[in-house]
Every structure is written in C-alpha cells, then in structure tokens.
Amino acid sequence: MEFKNFKKDVEAAFNNMIAENLFVANVDKDLLWMGYLLSFEDETIRQDHNCNACKSFIRHYGKVVAIDPQTYKTKTFWDDVHTPGYEKTAQALAKLVKEAGIGDVFIQDVNEFHGCDHNVQLLPDGTTRTWTHLYVTIPNNFKFNRRVHGFDSAAGYRGDVRARAGVFERSISELKLEAVETVIELIEGNNLYRGAEFLKSLEEFRRTLVTAQTLSPEVRTNYCWLNFKSPIAKIRNTAMGTLLIDLSNGVDLEKAVRAYENIMAPANYKRPTALITKKQIEAAQKKVEELGLTDALPRRHAHVEDISVNDVLFVNRDTRAKMKGGMFDMLSETSTVNPKEFTKAQEVSADAFVKNVLPGAKEVSILVENRHIPNFVTLTAPENPDAGQLFKWNNNFAWVYNGSVADSFKEKVKAAGGNVDGFMRCSLHWFNYDDLDLHVTEPGGREIYYGSKTGYTGGTLDVDMNAGSGKTRDAVENIIWTDPSRLRPGDYVVRVHNFYKRESIDFGFEMEIEINGELHKFQYGKVVLSKEYIEVARIHVDGQRNISMTPTIKEGSTSFKSTNEWGIDTMKFQKVSCIMFSPNHWEGNAIGNKHLFFMIDGCKNPDPVRGFFNEYLRADLEKEHRRVFEALGSRAKAEYSDDQLSGLGFSSTSHNDVVVKVDNKSFKIIF
C-alpha cells in the first residue's frame, strides 16, 4: 500500500479526464472527506491518511467530473484509480460523486485553493522528512480570466452557467416538439414577423428535442450541462421562447402569435393578414380543384425536351440534337480568365445583342464571374405537362434565382441588426469565439471601427460581435455607406484585426465587399494571430466619385480565383446550350419584367428549388388565396434532377454586365 503510487495514479487519472469543460458534483465536501477516511478500515492507516493538505484536495477537487459526449454520463477520475490497497477508497469516492449529480461548472478562481504537492518537516535531531500529498496541476483554461469568461468574478461566471443549464433543461422538458414544428412552418410560409431570424436556432432546437426524448432524466440533465454554451440554451427566455411556451401550453395560435408580435414588432406594426387556417387551406384547395389545376402544383426541373425551339433565341447544335434525342457533348476544359482582359470587348445592350448579334450565331460561350453567382437561375416545369394554366402567362414554366450564396451572408448581417441596402458595404463573417474587428481607414487616416463607429465619409459600423461577454461562433460585423454625396476622393483600406484571440479552431474569415451592386467575396483560411491586422482590399474613389476596388488579401481571395458553383467552374468561359427570355415573355407574352437566360452545359442546381412565387400566379389565385399559396410555394419544391436547365439570368431592371463570345468574337452585354 504505497501512497506515492496512489498520488501518482490520482494525478494521471485527473489529467486523462480533462475535457473541454469540467463540472463539480453536488456532493457535500465534508461527506466526501469522511468517505475517504472511512474507506480505510484499519484505524492506524486511517490516521496516517488524516492530512490537512490531502483533506483540502479531496474537498476541492475530489468532486470534479467530466461528461461523456457520447452517452452523456458523468465520469470521475476516481473511476480510473486502481492502486493496490486503494481500490476500495477510489470506488467509495466515485460512488458518492456520481450519485450526487452535477451542481456547478468547474472553474478555479485565483483566490481559491491551489493545493500542496509536498512539504518538508524538520525533525528534533535536525534531519528533515518530506511529506507528499494528493495534488494536480490545473490547466490555464480552467482558471478564471475576466476577459475570457466575460464576468467580473468566477462566482458570476458560475452563476451564469448554472442559469443557462437550468433554462436549457426547462426548455427541453417543457417545450413541445409539436410547438416547434408549428413555428417553423409559420416561418417557412413567411407568416411570422421577423421569424426568419430564429429559423436556424429553431431547427437546431428541434434536433435537440428529438435527441432529448431518447435520454433518461438524469442523462438529460447532463446533456444540458455539457451544452450550456449552445446558442439555443436560453431559447426559452427569448421572445421566440414566449411563443413556444404559449403553444406548448395549448394557447390558441392567433393569440400566441399576437403576444409574440407585441414583443417583436414596432408599436404600429399590423400583420397584413391573418395566419393561415385550416379553413383557408380548404378554400384554396377547393378553388384549385374547381379550376382543374391540381396537377399544375407539383413541380420539377425543366428539361431540354420540354422547350419548343420557338421559345428560344439561340440553340447550339448539340442542344438541338438533344431536343431530337441526341446527347450533350462533354464540356471542354478552359483556363481561368481575368475579366480585365475583356475591358475592350465590344459593348452592346441586351436588346441589341438579341436583335443584331444572336441571329445566325453557331456557338456562344459566357464568362461566369464570381460576382455572377447570385445570377444562377433554374427553370422549372409542372410534373404533368398537360396541367391547366397556373400562372399569368399562357405556359406553366417558372424560374428561380440562386439566393443561397450572397443572400445567406446578407441575411446573417440583417439578423444581427445590420443594414445591407447601401451603395457600398463591407461585411465580415467568422466562425469561432475570437474577437475579430472590421476596420476601414478613410482618406485622411480616420478609421471606422468599434471605437469610432461613424466615419466622416458616411460609413457606419452597425454590427460589432464577440466583444465582452456576448460571444457566438457565427459572428458578423458590418460597415455600410448609404449617402454617395459624402464620399471623399482617396483610398479606403479594408482590414480585419484580431483584438482578442480565444481559439485555434474554426479559424479564418470570409468577407463581402459590395459596391453599387457588384459583389466581391473573399475567404481567408489562416489563423489570424492575436493583435494581427489582415488587409483585405483597397477601395479607390476618384474625383468624380467613381469607385474601384483592388484586392490585397493573399490567401483565398475569390475575386479573381475560380470556384465551383452548380457544377461549373467560375472565372472561365462556359458553353451556352441555349438562350431564351423568361417564360413570361414567350409566345408573344409581355407580362412583367423581362429576363434574359443563358443556359449552360453542365450547370446543375444541387438543391431542391421553389416551384413558383406568388407574383407568377394568375390573379384569381394570387389575390384570393395569397397566404395559402405563399406557404404552398415554399413547400412545393422541385427535387434535384440531373437533367435540368440552369445557367445565368439577368433582369432588364437590374444593372449588370457579362462578357460572352459569339463565334469567337467578344461582346460585353450591358443590362
């Protein structure tokens, strides 16, 4: 029975148990000490172990536990102590700790017990004796730090963790899955004011509830302690939480939503129409059946075979063969292209291109730049080609633009309270708890950043995240300019600064710079060191307030770097299979805005797409059953198909341009 071996095994077991977070069992510290002493049946041995230093260790560290991330069961370091002669001691302490349950998060304050490894006793004969004690070294991440933990004291941090874990447990115990499903359905149907801001959290909470239903009450508590940092831990205490509580308690849907809107909406906000009811759904269904349009609602991707050659402005030889049953040729490899090489391409308007250039063309290719990613478009059709007329125009074809690349970034900024509607915007997005800051140095040297949020050129920082106690792993910052008259000539230097580095995982950042509707997207895949500045770009304004941008980022810049979207490489010329106007301008129709579509060989939308929008619907459906069809349109999605017509689309009402080659002659089409 060697105490030195016991001490060594305890230290090793403690170190092996260390996880991202440790916790403290809710066991009385004096009871734990008595359990330690009473485990030694021999009185003499018991007295040999009755040491004040070891007593302090047992009382402070003996109840520290970890939670297994797979089973969510607690684990003590006593479980792994098997020193001969001390097996009964370790088993007794492990049993006491596990039966008590978790009562707190483990964090060590600077003023708390730190332990004693050994001490030296001076004997009467002048010699010394060294006494060793139970002792462990606590890693720095378990020591309280005001900047890191965001509180003035360790007690304050512990209290916040207890509250988060407690609220989380109440949330998964009291909120019903049916209520969450109902709210998600309202949001997807665009029927809940500012509901989109909560959609991601609700989807995560739904997954959590499904997981929680499989856990025993004890293990469920541990699950909440383990995930106390989750953004959804406090969902019950939010405005959305009040709606979920009401619905879980059986409150009428209309009444519950009104209570939520009273919290979220401005005083003068009035929901435009009532929520969708079963009666409204039945009325819309009856109308569709009366019009014989039931078969027009299920949607799919449009195929080449669906399109009449009379509805296209241009079709290449391979695609024409496809219409007759031939096969597409494989795409030929092309090299990455710098758009600046085509600054001298002949400029033509879209109308002039269609009228004067396309007739007689044999081959067309289009330069797909990164800024065109939001212009990716998909054509959809009804599953039943003989279905009745669903839309305002006399065919059942519709189109859906890509919003998942640029808009998702914008939606994050908007959800955080930022403005994305200016003529110039710089938005930063990163993925860990670091306190990154967005800086723009204006001509003259003044900076727009968290310490000076409004510049003299009109730029305003309206979102600042991960400073202080409020931290997220999905952080954004945003600087927006809305008044062009306030711009001053000179260079605007865009930089990212790591004010406080907290992590070495999920590092890097991405940024969008949007200038007069032209989007530039950047990605930086390296660790941003503490206090390091990364220059991303320089924006130049000349004396006539013309704006240009020069990228300076060295890693992952996507302004002139090819990426792969919808199965095709950007920054390259891609083969155009056919060119057409949007279906609302086929067959002599001229209903609404005209779009020009360039369908590209091999371009395939990888996701299910919305089958139609309300503004496409014939008047008797759009006016009388708008809310039902808004919800239906978001659900009636065309599933992925390997056979589809997708490419780039340009609206006649949006300023844009694109370079195309027609029989090897270059044109820059201006929209």
Side-chain angles (χ1 to χ4, degrees), residues 389-655:
Q389 182 182 339
L390 184 65
F391 301 142
K392 296 173 183 176
W393 45 91
N394 57 1
N395 63 71
N396 276 334
F397 291 92
W399 64 97
V400 184
Y401 277 104
N402 171 32
S404 63
V405 178
D407 290 349
S408 64
F409 201 135
K410 283 187 175 182
E411 289 304 321
K412 291 179 188 296
V413 174
K414 289 165 63 177
N419 180 11
V420 297
D421 295 325
F423 70 94
M424 189 161 76
R425 170 178 63 91
C426 298
S427 301
L428 171 68
H429 177 218
W430 70 103
F431 328 99
N432 63 17
Y433 289 134
D434 285 2
D435 184 5
L436 297 188
D437 289 313
L438 178 58
H439 290 240
V440 174
T441 303
E442 302 172 298
R446 181 170 174 174
E447 280 195 284
I448 305 173
Y449 73 117
Y450 69 89
S452 179
K453 295 185 177 181
T454 302
Y456 65 81
T457 62
T460 300
L461 175 75
D462 57 11
V463 180
D464 178 25
M465 283 193 173
N466 278 8
S469 59
K471 294 185 286 291
T472 173
R473 303 186 71 82
D474 191 22
V476 294
E477 294 202 0
N478 186 63
I479 298 178
I480 188 79
W481 287 259
T482 58
D483 184 358
S485 67
R486 296 186 61 183
L487 277 187
R488 297 192 181 185
D491 286 338
Y492 295 70
V493 183
V494 184
R495 297 186 298 165
V496 175
H497 177 229
N498 196 341
F499 179 83
Y500 192 83
K501 178 174 168 54
R502 297 186 175 105
E503 294 189 281
S504 296
I505 60 172
D506 300 328
F507 48 78
F509 61 82
E510 62 179 356
M511 178 176 285
E512 283 187 353
I513 298 178
E514 186 173 10
I515 302 171
N516 291 327
E518 184 173 313
L519 184 67
H520 301 270
K521 194 174 182 69
F522 301 90
Q523 294 175 338
Y524 188 82
K526 291 183 177 181
V527 173
V528 184
L529 303 176
S530 181
K531 307 304 180 185
E532 182 180 13
Y533 284 88
I534 303 297
E535 182 177 312
V536 177
R538 290 178 177 250
I539 300 171
H540 181 73
V541 178
D542 66 18
Q544 286 72 46
R545 295 196 179 95
N546 296 313
I547 308 173
S548 59
M549 191 204 68
T550 303
T552 55
I553 197 169
K554 295 183 179 180
E555 292 290 332
S557 168
T558 58
S559 281
F560 298 103
K561 183 177 180 181
S562 177
T563 186
N564 189 280
E565 294 289 340
W566 286 27
I568 65 169
D569 293 330
T570 64
M571 311 313 292
K572 295 181 179 181
F573 278 98
Q574 299 292 346
K575 185 177 179 181
V576 174
S577 59
C578 58
I579 301 173
M580 63 185 73
F581 288 130
S582 48
N584 56 329
H585 283 259
W586 291 358
E587 302 172 3
N589 289 295
I591 301 172
N593 295 334
K594 182 190 294 185
H595 302 252
L596 186 60
F597 296 157
F598 297 78
M599 298 308 183
I600 299 173
D601 280 3
C603 185
K604 298 174 184 177
N605 188 328
D607 301 312
V609 298
R610 183 171 181 137
F612 59 85
F613 294 90
N614 271 17
E615 53 264 38
Y616 299 171
L617 295 174
R618 49 192 285 176
D620 51 351
L621 296 179
E622 194 273 341
K623 183 177 180 180
E624 298 175 22
H625 306 283
R626 180 176 183 82
R627 303 299 281 180
V628 174
F629 277 95
E630 180 68 33
L632 184 61
S634 67
R635 291 164 177 75
K637 292 184 177 181
E639 295 299 323
Y640 172 79
S641 171
D642 199 51
D643 185 7
Q644 58 179 270
L645 280 170
S646 296
L648 292 184
F650 299 89
S651 171
S652 60
T653 62
S654 298
H655 174 71

Side-chain angles (χ1 to χ4, degrees), residues 209-477:
L209 285 180
V210 172
T211 299
Q213 289 176 347
T214 66
L215 304 177
S216 65
E218 177 189 355
V219 174
R220 189 184 303 164
T221 300
N222 293 342
Y223 175 89
C224 295
W225 278 104
L226 183 63
N227 294 285
F228 72 86
K229 291 181 180 179
S230 171
I232 63 170
K234 285 191 172 182
I235 193 170
R236 192 181 187 279
N237 289 357
T238 65
M240 179 55 66
T242 62
L243 177 56
L244 294 175
I245 292 170
D246 283 346
L247 293 178
S248 297
N249 291 334
V251 176
D252 176 74
L253 178 61
E254 283 280 352
K255 183 177 180 180
V257 171
R258 279 198 300 270
Y260 160 84
E261 290 173 346
N262 287 337
I263 300 172
M264 292 292 296
N268 60 352
Y269 169 76
K270 298 294 182 183
R271 184 153 29 91
T273 58
L275 296 172
I276 299 174
T277 64
K278 184 178 180 181
K279 184 177 180 179
Q280 289 174 314
I281 295 173
E282 291 172 349
Q285 183 177 356
K286 182 179 179 181
K287 182 70 173 180
V288 168
E289 291 172 351
E290 288 175 355
L291 296 172
L293 296 177
T294 303
D295 289 346
L297 295 177
R299 306 290 293 175
R300 61 168 172 81
H301 281 278
H303 305 156
V304 170
E305 295 87 346
D306 298 325
I307 310 300
S308 167
V309 71
N310 297 322
D311 294 328
V312 297
L313 305 169
F314 161 82
V315 57
N316 69 15
R317 207 173 348 178
D318 297 327
T319 305
R320 188 182 296 272
K322 175 69 174 179
M323 291 178 175
K324 296 177 181 178
M327 296 295 293
F328 281 112
D329 288 346
M330 298 297 292
L331 289 175
S332 58
E333 186 67 25
T334 59
S335 58
T336 301
V337 176
N338 187 334
K340 290 185 177 180
E341 298 175 10
F342 295 90
T343 55
K344 295 184 180 180
Q346 181 180 341
E347 292 190 359
V348 294
S349 68
D351 288 340
F353 175 78
V354 170
K355 182 178 180 181
N356 302 324
V357 178
L358 272 187
K362 296 180 180 179
E363 297 290 338
V364 178
S365 58
I366 189 167
L367 177 56
V368 183
E369 300 181 46
N370 291 320
R371 62 187 177 90
H372 293 143
I373 290 175
N375 293 89
F376 278 93
V377 69
T378 294
L379 202 66
T380 65
E383 289 187 358
N384 179 3
D386 298 322
Q389 182 182 339
L390 184 65
F391 301 142
K392 296 173 183 176
W393 45 91
N394 57 1
N395 63 71
N396 276 334
F397 291 92
W399 64 97
V400 184
Y401 277 104
N402 171 32
S404 63
V405 178
D407 290 349
S408 64
F409 201 135
K410 283 187 175 182
E411 289 304 321
K412 291 179 188 296
V413 174
K414 289 165 63 177
N419 180 11
V420 297
D421 295 325
F423 70 94
M424 189 161 76
R425 170 178 63 91
C426 298
S427 301
L428 171 68
H429 177 218
W430 70 103
F431 328 99
N432 63 17
Y433 289 134
D434 285 2
D435 184 5
L436 297 188
D437 289 313
L438 178 58
H439 290 240
V440 174
T441 303
E442 302 172 298
R446 181 170 174 174
E447 280 195 284
I448 305 173
Y449 73 117
Y450 69 89
S452 179
K453 295 185 177 181
T454 302
Y456 65 81
T457 62
T460 300
L461 175 75
D462 57 11
V463 180
D464 178 25
M465 283 193 173
N466 278 8
S469 59
K471 294 185 286 291
T472 173
R473 303 186 71 82
D474 191 22
V476 294
E477 294 202 0

Side-chain angles (χ1 to χ4, degrees), residues 31-220:
L31 177 63
L32 197 62
W33 173 241
M34 290 304 299
Y36 173 74
L37 290 181
L38 293 175
S39 70
F40 304 108
E41 298 179 359
D42 185 278
E43 183 66 28
T44 301
I45 296 176
R46 184 181 303 159
Q47 288 305 316
D48 287 342
H49 287 80
N50 193 355
C51 160
N52 284 332
C54 291
K55 178 180 181 180
S56 295
F57 176 89
I58 296 292
R59 285 159 53 95
H60 285 85
Y61 299 141
K63 52 185 177 178
V64 175
V65 299
I67 299 174
D68 187 306
Q70 304 301 322
T71 65
Y72 307 115
K73 294 182 178 180
T74 53
K75 173 181 175 59
T76 80
F77 62 88
W78 301 114
D79 294 325
D80 295 329
V81 176
H82 306 291
T83 313
Y86 289 90
E87 297 93 341
K88 185 177 179 180
T89 301
Q91 292 171 6
L93 295 179
K95 186 173 185 295
L96 282 172
V97 172
K98 286 183 176 180
E99 289 179 348
I102 295 175
D104 220 332
V105 67
F106 175 69
I107 196 77
Q108 180 173 284
D109 203 347
V110 292
N111 298 319
E112 293 177 336
F113 170 77
H114 290 78
C116 176
D117 184 54
H118 65 274
N119 65 308
V120 179
Q121 179 185 12
L122 179 63
L123 300 176
D125 61 3
T127 60
T128 60
R129 179 179 180 182
T130 300
W131 297 89
T132 59
H133 311 287
L134 296 176
Y135 180 82
V136 293
T137 300
I138 304 300
N140 287 334
N141 57 305
F142 293 106
K143 295 177 182 178
F144 176 72
N145 183 300
R146 183 177 300 177
R147 288 293 303 272
V148 173
H149 295 98
F151 287 85
D152 292 331
S153 66
Y157 175 71
R158 293 190 191 105
D160 180 70
V161 174
R162 288 195 301 271
R164 292 180 71 91
V167 171
F168 199 8
E169 186 169 11
R170 288 191 65 188
S171 298
I172 63 177
S173 299
E174 299 174 5
L175 302 182
K176 296 181 179 179
L177 182 61
E178 181 182 359
V180 178
E181 296 280 9
T182 298
V183 176
I184 290 176
E185 182 179 345
L186 290 176
I187 294 171
E188 290 179 339
N190 198 27
N191 288 321
L192 192 65
Y193 179 76
R194 292 178 62 182
E197 300 173 20
F198 297 95
L199 183 58
K200 184 177 179 181
S201 295
L202 284 168
E203 289 173 339
E204 183 179 349
F205 187 60
R206 175 172 58 185
R207 291 190 292 269
T208 297
L209 285 180
V210 172
T211 299
Q213 289 176 347
T214 66
L215 304 177
S216 65
E218 177 189 355
V219 174
R220 189 184 303 164

